[in-house]
Amino acid sequence: MDERRATMAKQSYRVCWCFRRRFKMRAAEAPREVKELFERYDSGGKGVMSVEDLQRFMTEVQGVETESQSRDEAQAAMDALKHLNIFHRKGLSLDAFFRFLFFADVNPPLDPSLSVHQDMTAPLSHYFIYTGHNSYLTGNQISSDCSDAPIIKALHDGVRVIELDIWPNSKKDNVDVLHGRTLTTPVELIKCLRSIKENAFVASSYPLVITLEDHLTPDLQAKVAEMISKTFGDMLFCPETESFEEFPSPESLKGRIIISTKPPKEYSETKMVNEGSSGKVMDSHDEEAWGKEVSDIKAKLDASDQHNDLDAEDHQDEDGLDETDHISQQNAAPEYRRLIAIHALKPKGKLKEALKPIPDIDKVRRLSMSEQALEKLIKNHGTEIVRFTQRNLLRVYPKGMRVDSSNYNPLIGWMHGAQMVAFNMQGYGRSLWLMHGMFRANGGCGYVKKPDILLKVGPNNEVFDPRATLPVKKTLKVRVYMGDGWYTDFKHTHFDVYSPPDFYVRVGIAGVPVDSVMKKTKIIEDDWKPLWDQEFQFPLTVPELALLRIEVHEYDISGKDDFGGQTCLPVSELRTGIRAVPLYSYKAEKYESVRLLMRFDFV
């Protein structure tokens, strides 16, 4: 027994000043099904699996489709385990087989070799795009610093839409980035632009969109135009025409930077922190450290509201004043206007009218609305939103009362086809975990192709209705075997000062309303390596929009349960079979050792 195991075997907890309680620490042991599978694929019956045996296992259990791939994966597993003392020269022992399955580096739930694999030649409107909100803030929306640091982090994480609020500096002779009329400290625009240039394509080569919330005078707009042109040079996408009949594709715009905002207008300080919030401020104490439960989409769809036709003037669009101010157009900086590749247009009258095609004009456009505007609109106009987003871009941003940088349920926007569901990336919580899960798909490039169900038009001109109950397409079976790694990554008194932790797992689906559900395992008491061995089934009507949610918590009889890790995975890219699932902190930082052993199958 090595020193680590000896230390664990002698673990004890102080119960009072003169008494200590000892707990026996067991070594991780393969679950029953893993043992049975080892015996089934041990063709020689001598307790050793050969490369050929492992290849058959890869094909029949792990769902590897081609013979060459199963052979390569089997050999890679053998090579990865050769440095262990448990490796047998003729193949894998049961212990080595178990180690391989529980080794997240070689057996993760998503294929690490799967890079960008979706069709990237469709218009931009056919993709969900990884979108940030107030990307320059380091923390809350009221008093945190403005900096280029969170912009750099977002770009390294794969975010493809960066938002900058641009204002005159205190001397009115230059341009700052800050959250207007708050206590946030500004950062110079040029510093943000230079950092964007240096980091724009570190994580993805696909286009980066910069959305500008413009509060500038025409002379400063001209100065911004010069800054942007000199900083980005040939990287900047400047189309020959002001508008498109169809947006370009991500593939055609690789390595390009795109500016999106409303056309120039008079300098205006219209945005206030409590826009659309009725003066209310979210109390951060209402949320647990890892975020409150994700809001129920069905409740929002079914809720009745006699004032659901939101006026455009009540919509409080972030992008500024109405474009129809002809006087300001005469004073606008033409060089600034020419840089705008994607025009964001403000609706006139009822917000629902903005979803309709403009008579005699077949041009695509970008519309921006708050989360509460979307929630009101979907109650009676959900299919119109889906139809609008088949050709046009829809950006949804957090309501003003989210001053703690919390977020909303992104599925509300995605299931209606919204491409730019803008999130406070500087925040934390379950809603942000869903965002991370969605954009783990398609090689993490920041663009995920919308499912065909959101893009097609039926024979009677009908489109997908998010309210409709559709037949089950497939059922996802999830078995939670066991977990390990907490003893390595946490202090042994982190969860309980008197005993080892009592872990349980919450597992479920985030998707369309009928598919969304959370279930949980039994609680395993006093065990750092809990063995649950429980199976759950999730019928899916729209599996293309489904995300698998996984959380581990430690039961606390006297108070709030402790957090033990989480992850969120796109169901469409899950690898079937037995997989080692690495977990992350509530801040989305990957734990070094914490992981679950799980099995995924579709029936």
Side-chain angles (χ1 to χ4, degrees):
M1 180 181 294
D2 59 25
E3 182 179 352
R4 176 66 179 165
R5 291 189 177 184
T7 301
M8 293 178 65
K10 296 178 180 179
Q11 185 188 16
S12 63
Y13 290 80
R14 185 182 298 278
V15 177
C16 62
W17 67 275
C18 62
F19 177 70
R20 298 186 71 87
R21 184 182 178 192
R22 286 183 172 272
F23 291 88
K24 184 178 180 181
M25 297 294 298
R26 65 177 182 82
E29 183 179 346
R32 174 183 53 81
E33 187 173 2
V34 172
K35 294 178 181 178
E36 292 174 353
L37 287 169
F38 179 81
E39 292 175 0
R40 183 190 309 172
Y41 288 93
D42 172 16
S43 60
K46 297 181 179 180
V48 177
M49 282 179 65
S50 65
V51 173
E52 292 74 22
D53 294 336
L54 189 57
Q55 183 179 342
R56 283 196 305 118
F57 170 80
M58 293 292 191
T59 301
E60 297 173 10
V61 177
Q62 302 296 80
V64 178
E65 295 182 356
T66 66
E67 181 179 350
S68 61
Q69 186 180 357
S70 62
R71 181 174 58 251
D72 292 344
E73 289 197 17
Q75 189 59 57
M78 293 287 189
D79 295 341
L81 294 170
K82 280 182 179 178
H83 68 282
L84 298 177
N85 294 331
I86 56 175
F87 182 82
H88 192 282
R89 63 183 179 84
K90 294 183 179 180
L92 299 182
S93 64
L94 171 60
D95 198 6
F97 178 62
F98 172 50
R99 293 279 190 97
F100 152 66
L101 291 177
F102 213 1
F103 191 6
D105 287 348
V106 297
N107 190 37
L110 303 180
D111 189 345
S113 66
L114 196 61
S115 56
V116 177
H117 57 278
Q118 297 177 350
D119 176 19
M120 302 300 286
T121 62
L124 285 174
S125 55
H126 288 206
Y127 299 85
F128 297 127
I129 309 174
Y130 204 178
T131 302
H133 176 257
N134 290 349
S135 306
Y136 50 86
L137 289 178
T138 57
N140 68 65
Q141 306 283 308
I142 297 292
S143 60
S144 65
D145 291 335
C146 300
S147 170
D148 63 334
I151 297 173
I152 294 170
K153 182 181 185 304
L155 293 172
H156 280 251
D157 290 342
V159 172
R160 293 290 83 197
V161 182
I162 295 294
E163 183 189 29
L164 302 177
D165 291 13
I166 49 178
W167 296 77
N169 67 356
S170 58
K171 295 181 179 180
K172 311 296 182 184
D173 62 354
N174 212 328
V175 181
D176 282 339
V177 174
L178 75 154
H179 197 194
R181 295 191 175 183
T182 67
L183 301 177
T184 56
T185 56
V187 58
E188 290 184 340
L189 172 62
I190 188 63
K191 183 176 183 181
C192 295
L193 296 179
R194 287 169 178 166
S195 293
I196 289 172
K197 179 184 179 180
E198 292 173 5
N199 298 276
F201 303 107
V202 169
S204 171
S205 62
Y206 287 93
L208 175 71
V209 180
I210 302 176
T211 58
L212 298 176
E213 187 181 321
D214 176 3
H215 302 273
L216 302 177
T217 53
D219 61 317
L220 288 179
Q221 288 173 348
K223 190 162 190 172
V224 168
E226 183 180 8
M227 282 186 201
I228 290 176
S229 298
K230 286 187 176 180
T231 302
F232 298 132
D234 293 340
M235 298 168 69
L236 199 62
F237 174 64
C238 296
E240 296 180 358
T241 177
E242 270 199 5
S243 55
F244 304 99
E245 293 183 4
E246 183 178 74
F247 286 114
S249 70
E251 188 66 32
S252 68
L253 295 171
K254 287 177 79 171
R256 307 300 292 273
I257 291 176
I258 303 168
I259 303 299
S260 179
T261 186
K262 282 193 175 69
K265 54 196 72 68
E266 282 188 283
Y267 168 52
S268 172
E269 297 185 4
T270 58
K271 185 183 179 186
M272 298 183 65
V273 67
N274 64 337
E275 286 177 355
S277 66
S278 302
K280 297 178 181 178
V281 174
M282 176 172 288
D283 184 355
S284 61
H285 295 292
D286 288 343
E287 295 209 4
E288 301 172 353
W290 51 87
K292 66 181 181 181
E293 184 51 77
V294 176
S295 59
D296 182 10
I297 300 177
K298 189 175 187 303
K300 295 183 182 299
L301 285 172
D302 293 343
S304 60
D305 189 336
Q306 59 182 351
H307 303 295
N308 50 32
D309 283 337
L310 197 68
D311 289 343
E313 55 266 29
D314 295 329
H315 157 53
Q316 298 291 348
D317 185 14
E318 285 193 322
D319 292 318
L321 294 178
D322 197 318
E323 185 191 13
T324 58
D325 188 339
H326 299 292
I327 297 176
S328 65
Q329 290 298 331
Q330 295 172 6
N331 299 326
E335 58 269 47
Y336 179 74
R337 186 184 182 97
R338 283 194 293 269
L339 296 180
I340 304 171
I342 299 178
H343 285 216
L345 301 181
K346 186 177 177 69
K348 306 171 186 178
K350 299 291 186 181
L351 187 57
K352 66 178 181 179
E353 298 300 318
L355 302 175
K356 298 178 180 180
I358 302 174
D360 303 322
I361 300 178
D362 190 26
K363 303 295 185 181
V364 291
R365 57 201 188 276
R366 195 201 94 193
L367 179 64
S368 187
M369 67 177 68
S370 66
E371 61 170 293
Q372 74 264 47
L374 176 66
E375 289 172 7
K376 283 193 174 186
L377 206 56
I378 63 177
K379 292 169 187 173
N380 291 326
H381 307 286
T383 54
E384 288 103 308
I385 300 173
V386 173
R387 194 180 303 277
F388 176 84
T389 57
Q390 290 182 337
R391 295 187 67 236
N392 304 282
L393 296 177
L394 177 60
R395 173 178 171 268
V396 184
Y397 57 88
K399 55 190 175 184
M401 68 182 291
R402 294 189 181 277
V403 297
D404 60 350
S405 294
S406 62
N407 289 294
Y408 50 102
N409 187 343
L411 268 303
I412 299 173
W414 289 333
M415 65 189 283
H416 289 87
Q419 298 87 351
M420 297 181 176
V421 178
F423 258 40
N424 293 313
M425 299 298 174
Q426 65 274 38
Y428 308 113
R430 288 184 168 113
S431 293
L432 190 53
W433 302 344
L434 299 183
M435 183 68 68
H436 296 155
M438 169 63 80
F439 290 102
R440 286 189 171 109
N442 201 24
C445 74
Y447 286 80
V448 174
K449 189 77 159 53
K450 290 161 62 173
D452 289 341
I453 196 171
L454 286 171
L455 298 171
K456 67 181 181 181
V457 179
N460 298 315
N461 202 33
E462 71 272 16
V463 296
F464 172 63
D465 184 356
R467 291 176 181 266
T469 300
L470 302 174
V472 173
K473 279 189 179 180
K474 61 176 68 173
T475 296
L476 172 63
K477 292 171 60 177
V478 177
R479 179 169 288 274
V480 184
Y481 290 115
M482 62 178 298
D484 198 3
W486 292 280
Y487 193 87
T488 302
D489 291 351
F490 292 84
K491 292 181 180 179
H492 83 281
T493 56
H494 175 86
F495 297 103
D496 194 326
V497 295
Y498 301 115
S499 66
D502 307 324
F503 287 125
Y504 66 90
V505 181
R506 297 181 74 237
V507 59
I509 296 294
V512 297
V514 69
D515 293 348
S516 299
V517 65
M518 287 299 286
K519 303 179 181 180
K520 73 176 186 177
T521 67
K522 59 193 173 186
I523 299 169
I524 303 297
E525 296 183 353
D526 300 333
D527 201 334
W528 284 101
K529 300 184 179 184
L531 177 65
W532 297 282
D533 203 5
Q534 288 182 253
E535 184 176 278
F536 304 94
Q537 295 196 18
F538 301 102
L540 302 174
T541 62
V542 188
E544 305 95 326
L545 286 175
L547 300 170
L548 179 65
R549 295 178 54 193
I550 302 168
E551 298 178 12
V552 176
H553 298 279
E554 196 272 338
Y555 176 70
D556 189 338
I557 193 172
S558 61
K560 187 186 301 182
D561 291 352
D562 294 313
F563 177 81
Q566 60 82 22
T567 193
C568 187
L569 304 168
V571 168
S572 62
E573 297 200 3
L574 275 179
R575 295 205 293 174
T576 57
I578 300 174
R579 304 293 174 182
V581 180
L583 297 185
Y584 297 76
S585 73
Y586 73 91
K587 293 184 177 182
E589 297 163 345
K590 188 176 180 181
Y591 291 125
E592 186 174 332
S593 306
V594 176
R595 64 206 187 279
L596 299 175
L597 186 65
M598 306 179 70
R599 179 167 181 169
F600 310 113
D601 291 292
F602 291 101
V603 294

